[in-house]
Amino acid sequence: RTRLSVLPAAIVGEIGLDRVCVPMNEEGVKVGEPDYENQLDCFNAQLALAAELGRPVAVHCVKAYGDIADIFRARPSMPPRVLMHSFGGTVAYLEGLVKMK
């Protein structure tokens, strides 16, 4: 919030959900499983902040398209613009997102 207040042209992001990314140690060795619940909490908070401040978001999504769509549908308000960064979903999915809110 503080950073965004001094950068009025900044977007919020990259934010999103990733079911593949796992924590790694300093040597690049996987040391756990994705903390997906934490990702969901952070994503929802970041979307809320972007909507409140009227800022666009850049969304990263890996194997979480259903969850992203459900979250978008459930939100009472959305950021003014959503960029699906490196989008790899179907045309039908994207058309569904465009028709939302």
Side-chain angles (χ1 to χ4, degrees), residues 18 20-35:
D18 189 331
V20 176
C21 183
V22 296
M24 295 187 179
N25 65 17
E26 296 78 29
E27 290 81 38
V29 176
K30 293 179 182 179
V31 294
E33 296 298 318
D35 186 353

Side-chain angles (χ1 to χ4, degrees), residues 14-71:
E14 171 179 315
I15 65 175
L17 301 174
D18 189 331
R19 289 187 175 274
V20 176
C21 183
V22 296
M24 295 187 179
N25 65 17
E26 296 78 29
E27 290 81 38
V29 176
K30 293 179 182 179
V31 294
E33 296 298 318
D35 186 353
Y36 197 68
E37 289 304 314
N38 185 53
Q39 289 183 44
L40 288 166
D41 292 343
C42 291
F43 184 59
N44 278 300
Q46 292 162 329
L47 278 175
L49 178 63
E52 176 188 331
L53 299 177
R55 302 293 181 91
V57 293
V59 175
H60 172 91
C61 179
V62 177
K63 298 191 181 209
Y65 290 112
D67 291 339
I68 294 273
D70 290 345
I71 289 167

Side-chain angles (χ1 to χ4, degrees), residues 70-83:
D70 290 345
I71 289 167
F72 286 174
R73 266 189 224 95
R75 293 213 40 81
S77 62
M78 284 290 291
R81 302 268 189 281
V82 176
L83 168 71

